[in-house]
Amino acid sequence: MKDTLVNVENLTRIFDVSKPWLNRVIEREEKKLLLAVNGVSLEIRRGETFALVGESGSGKSTIAKMIVGLLSASQGKIDFDGIDLFQPGGAEMRALRQRYQMIFQDPFASLNPRWRVNKIIAEPLRKFDMESSESARHKRVEELLELVGMSAKDGVKFPHEFSGGQRQRIAIARALSSNPEFIVCDEPTSALDVSVQAQILNLMRDLQDELGLTYLFISHDLSVVRHMANRIGVLYLGRLVEVADGKELFRNPRHPYTKMLLNAIPDLDMTGREVARPDGEIPNPINPPSGCTFHPRCPIATEYCKREIPSARNSEAGSVACFEATGD
Amino acid sequence: MSMNKETDEKMSVIARVLDSDIWYSFTRSKVTMVAALVTFLIFASALFAPIISPHDPFDLASLSLMDSLLPPAWNAEGDPNYLLGTDDQGRDVLSTILYGSRISLAVGLVSVAFAAVLGITLGLVAGYMGGRVDAIIMRVADVQLSFPAILIALLIDGTVNALVGGMDRERSAFTVLVISIGLSFWVQYARTVRSSTLVERNKEYVQAARLIGLHPFLIMLRHVLPNVMGPVLVIATINLALAVITEATLSFLGVGIPGTQPSLGTMIRTGNDFLFSGEWWITFFPGAMLAALVLAVNLLGDWLRDALNPKLR
């Protein structure tokens, strides 16, 4: 049952957001550090969709970028299929790179506007020397285009000739071209029309079934996550506050922040449920609150929460980082 | 693309050009066609100057001071031998324009190419690498910007003369001009390319290329460069005109092309001295030539910028 593909341990990323050196000296200011991701540990199992949710500024995208190597981590460790991502060099890294891919948020920025679609999709193939000849590569590109529900003839066009949904399909085709096992999806539908979102999500699920992919799915949209995720991790200010199975999290949220988020989902079923607006805003990560960072917004916070930082408590259903949360 | 590979091979190169998007947009714009024609005529006449020009203005033996300052041929005092009149040395203005545009164009093209290659490379590296590399390159650019082209040219010219001994003045003049104009123009390219690179490098298509482990050099060359070239093309066309004018200034100061082989700029400057005494033709005709060249090249550059932008196709 426990077949871990990606294991993240104590991942931390600190950004230096201080002013230039000269300004600091003249204005007598300290260095300002932003703790974007703070000691996050999680594991992603083979074949599942692990979703990371959280408000903007909670560190979702930073985690995604560290996992695929676009950002370096300040601390911590990432294992991909048992191999330490921060250690290997040369040929091993090259082999690893072929095994993970990323789908980006903005389909209007993720495709080089000067390249034809053929060339865009074939780029990973070229880089990893995957097809023997130019015609074999071309054939593979045509297959990929058809796999994501486009016409093989679309390859000769430029990205600007397509709509947002079609572009995202092209981006998916590119991500699939190196036959990866693991795909990081950084809000893949948030830039799309609601009607198109469902098409892209269904395509991604079909591809997962067909190719046995593992997804790390990042989103701020809980209704999208509900549709996609097997397991969900809730981020708050760079900390993972709750991890639980998808259905369990929606049925029985334990962390007060998760409860707050779930209460804010618009009630489309007209059950008459009261939709509570979340109180307050996410605090400034440069100067986070003491103790549990959620305590200023928490309805059940005690004096103890203001002093001590809760660590994750594991249980049957998942883990939760809260002193007061009960299993119900 | 391979679908019509067989037909592609049957089509000649000319047929493929006639079939392309760029040719189509070219035929749709009358202004562009006129500009291209003018540019072509100027380049061709410069190239074939020894064949088509009636006199050889560089052959000092054939010049006669008796023929100096003659007005154009249609004037009552004009000489039909000298269609556009003669200058103060008795040189045929028409021939000198043809020969002079040769030198002007050569200096302009080579120095713009030199400045562009230098500026684009440094701008790309500065913008993409960021951090300390960026800081060093851009501070050098700032320092560079505070020196006018003339000062750089004087410095280089002095150094070269000291090294070569002033004997090969005529041969070294061209190189000195190209290097000094190129060195004073590269900053503009570097700054433009750097700022566009800063925007492009954070776009997700560059991240996608980084993700698969593409070498930074290849990312700059294949992904970033084609997307930052638009403004560069426009600067290059404007700079071609500027380079010709800078060359004229330098030549006037005696740092550039020697007066025995005048360029367009040298002619305008010489003619300028005679403007108030009524000999307008010495400066007017080379000036008209320069204006026509600059305008035509600029119009071509504008069209090229639009034609190469896939979003406007």
Side-chain angles (χ1 to χ4, degrees):
Chain A
M1 150 88 203
K2 234 190 171 187
D3 186 8
T4 308
L5 183 65
V6 180
N7 189 34
V8 174
E9 258 172 60
N10 197 24
L11 194 65
T12 300
R13 171 73 205 204
I14 299 167
F15 287 110
D16 187 351
V17 290
S18 31
K19 289 178 181 169
W21 174 79
L22 197 62
N23 292 45
R24 276 208 316 275
V25 171
I26 294 171
E27 292 161 28
R28 287 163 193 266
E29 277 183 26
E30 300 276 299
K31 266 200 161 194
K32 271 187 195 157
L33 298 177
L34 189 154
L35 196 58
V37 176
N38 187 357
V40 167
S41 299
L42 53 90
E43 54 173 49
I44 303 168
R45 295 169 198 157
R46 208 180 289 274
E48 77 170 357
T49 301
F50 187 96
L52 273 179
V53 295
E55 289 167 277
S56 58
S58 59
K60 310 179 293 266
S61 293
T62 311
I63 292 179
K65 282 182 180 168
M66 283 193 284
I67 290 178
V68 295
L70 287 175
L71 268 180
S72 59
S74 306
Q75 258 177 55
K77 195 165 157 253
I78 301 173
D79 282 347
F80 185 87
D81 203 12
I83 308 165
D84 189 342
L85 269 187
F86 298 147
Q87 291 303 325
E92 209 174 12
M93 195 68 212
R94 189 181 150 98
L96 265 184
R97 281 215 172 96
Q98 202 171 330
R99 296 173 63 187
Y100 55 78
Q101 265 292 354
M102 185 161 177
I103 299 170
F104 293 93
Q105 178 174 7
D106 183 1
F108 291 89
S110 66
L111 308 174
N112 188 340
R114 306 242 162 204
W115 283 23
R116 289 180 198 275
V117 170
N118 272 336
K119 202 176 166 192
I120 292 174
I121 297 177
E123 195 185 21
L125 295 176
R126 273 208 188 87
K127 164 70 186 154
F128 298 120
D129 286 328
M130 291 185 63
E131 301 288 339
S132 47
S133 67
E134 190 63 40
S135 60
R137 218 176 279 146
H138 193 83
K139 212 166 159 239
R140 172 92 178 113
V141 170
E142 286 185 346
E143 281 169 19
L144 283 163
L145 276 171
E146 274 164 9
L147 186 66
V148 297
M150 308 221 359
S151 158
K153 282 183 234 149
D154 288 336
V156 294
K157 295 183 186 163
F158 282 100
H160 67 89
E161 295 174 58
F162 297 99
S163 69
Q166 287 172 313
R167 280 160 170 252
Q168 202 57 295
R169 283 172 194 268
I170 295 168
I172 293 172
R174 171 179 60 190
L176 292 174
S177 68
S178 64
N179 279 327
E181 298 152 54
F182 176 58
I183 298 184
V184 174
C185 319
D186 188 4
E187 309 217 23
T189 56
S190 64
L192 302 177
D193 227 53
V194 180
S195 56
V196 184
Q197 281 188 11
Q199 291 175 18
I200 296 294
L201 292 174
N202 288 334
L203 171 70
M204 288 175 63
R205 282 184 76 158
D206 292 346
L207 290 170
Q208 185 173 34
D209 292 342
E210 208 171 311
L211 306 168
L213 299 167
T214 307
Y215 288 139
L216 171 62
F217 194 93
I218 288 167
S219 182
H220 60 260
D221 188 342
L222 280 167
S223 45
V224 168
V225 166
R226 183 181 223 161
H227 183 71
M228 292 294 289
N230 302 103
R231 285 197 308 139
I232 300 173
V234 182
L235 276 173
Y236 186 76
L237 218 62
R239 274 176 188 282
L240 208 51
V241 294
E242 182 167 1
V243 180
D245 281 356
K247 287 194 184 105
E248 180 65 21
L249 187 99
F250 280 94
R251 202 182 320 124
N252 184 16
R254 292 189 295 163
H255 196 281
Y257 178 59
T258 317
K259 286 181 185 160
M260 184 193 269
L261 283 182
L262 290 182
N263 278 333
I265 298 180
D267 181 16
L268 292 181
D269 299 333
M270 309 290 277
T271 54
R273 170 172 67 88
E274 191 104 346
V275 175
R277 281 186 47 198
D279 296 324
E281 274 179 30
I282 199 157
N284 184 355
I286 296 173
N287 188 14
S290 63
C292 173
T293 47
F294 186 60
H295 82 253
R297 295 167 78 183
C298 183
I300 56 171
T302 62
E303 276 303 311
Y304 189 63
C305 299
K306 292 181 188 172
R307 281 181 282 118
E308 298 295 321
I309 299 170
S311 53
R313 283 188 290 134
N314 291 310
S315 70
E316 194 84 348
S319 74
V320 61
C322 180
F323 296 119
E324 299 297 315
T326 48
D328 281 353
Chain B
M1 282 207 268
S2 76
M3 291 182 302
N4 40 28
K5 205 174 226 169
E6 286 156 44
T7 47
D8 265 3
E9 275 159 7
K10 279 177 199 154
M11 283 162 80
S12 68
V13 178
I14 297 168
R16 255 189 297 179
V17 168
L18 291 179
D19 194 41
S20 69
D21 298 345
I22 293 198
W23 181 256
Y24 177 76
S25 98
F26 181 73
T27 54
R28 300 284 292 177
S29 162
K30 285 214 171 63
V31 176
T32 310
M33 290 172 80
V34 172
L37 186 71
V38 171
T39 315
F40 174 77
L41 283 179
I42 293 176
F43 272 78
S45 64
L47 196 65
F48 297 113
I51 302 169
I52 55 172
S53 65
H55 304 268
D56 183 358
F58 295 170
D59 183 7
L60 296 178
S62 71
L63 299 182
S64 163
L65 276 179
M66 297 296 286
D67 294 334
S68 67
L69 298 176
L70 286 177
W74 57 85
N75 218 298
E77 298 151 42
D79 183 331
N81 266 334
Y82 305 107
L83 187 61
L84 298 180
T86 59
D87 69 359
D88 57 327
Q89 305 290 323
R91 279 185 289 233
D92 177 33
V93 170
L94 176 63
S95 306
T96 321
I97 286 176
L98 294 177
Y99 274 90
S101 56
R102 239 180 163 197
I103 296 169
S104 293
L105 278 175
V107 171
L109 287 173
V110 178
S111 58
V112 163
F114 176 58
V117 169
L118 191 68
I120 291 169
T121 314
L122 290 173
L124 259 184
V125 171
Y128 190 80
M129 296 293 178
R132 203 156 289 175
V133 179
D134 179 29
I136 291 170
I137 293 178
M138 291 330 281
R139 288 304 79 72
V140 170
D142 287 347
V143 171
Q144 171 77 78
L145 210 58
S146 61
F147 289 106
I150 294 163
L151 213 60
I152 297 166
L154 287 172
L155 194 75
I156 295 174
D157 188 56
T159 319
V160 170
N161 276 351
L163 289 176
V164 193
M167 295 298 286
D168 292 322
R169 185 80 187 77
E170 299 204 353
R171 256 188 288 158
S172 66
F174 184 82
T175 322
V176 169
L177 269 181
V178 164
I179 292 177
S180 42
I181 295 174
L183 278 184
S184 52
F185 280 178
W186 70 269
V187 176
Q188 229 181 327
Y189 296 93
R191 290 198 155 179
T192 316
V193 168
R194 175 182 172 266
S195 61
S196 321
T197 305
L198 285 177
V199 176
E200 295 297 323
R201 84 161 173 189
N202 287 326
K203 286 199 182 160
E204 290 165 344
Y205 70 88
V206 174
Q207 293 188 12
R210 281 177 54 203
L211 190 80
I212 58 169
L214 209 62
H215 193 276
F217 175 73
L218 286 179
I219 296 179
M220 281 188 244
L221 195 71
R222 289 190 199 159
H223 288 279
V224 183
L225 185 61
N227 284 294
V228 299
M229 279 304 277
V232 169
L233 217 60
V234 181
I235 297 178
T237 50
I238 293 165
N239 265 2
L240 181 60
L242 267 178
V244 171
I245 290 164
T246 310
E247 178 270 319
T249 318
L250 291 172
S251 299
F252 177 71
L253 287 172
V255 193
I257 304 289
T260 48
Q261 300 191 351
S263 59
L264 279 185
T266 324
M267 293 179 75
I268 297 170
R269 292 301 292 162
T270 348
N272 197 25
D273 298 338
F274 295 90
L275 209 51
F276 287 111
S277 53
E279 285 91 9
W280 53 270
W281 56 90
I282 307 176
T283 198
F284 177 80
F285 293 115
M289 179 78 160
L290 186 63
L293 172 68
V294 169
L295 185 64
V297 170
N298 272 336
L299 286 173
L300 267 185
D302 275 356
W303 163 77
L304 204 59
R305 181 194 53 194
D306 293 346
L308 292 181
N309 186 347
K311 284 182 195 159
L312 292 178
R313 253 186 221 167

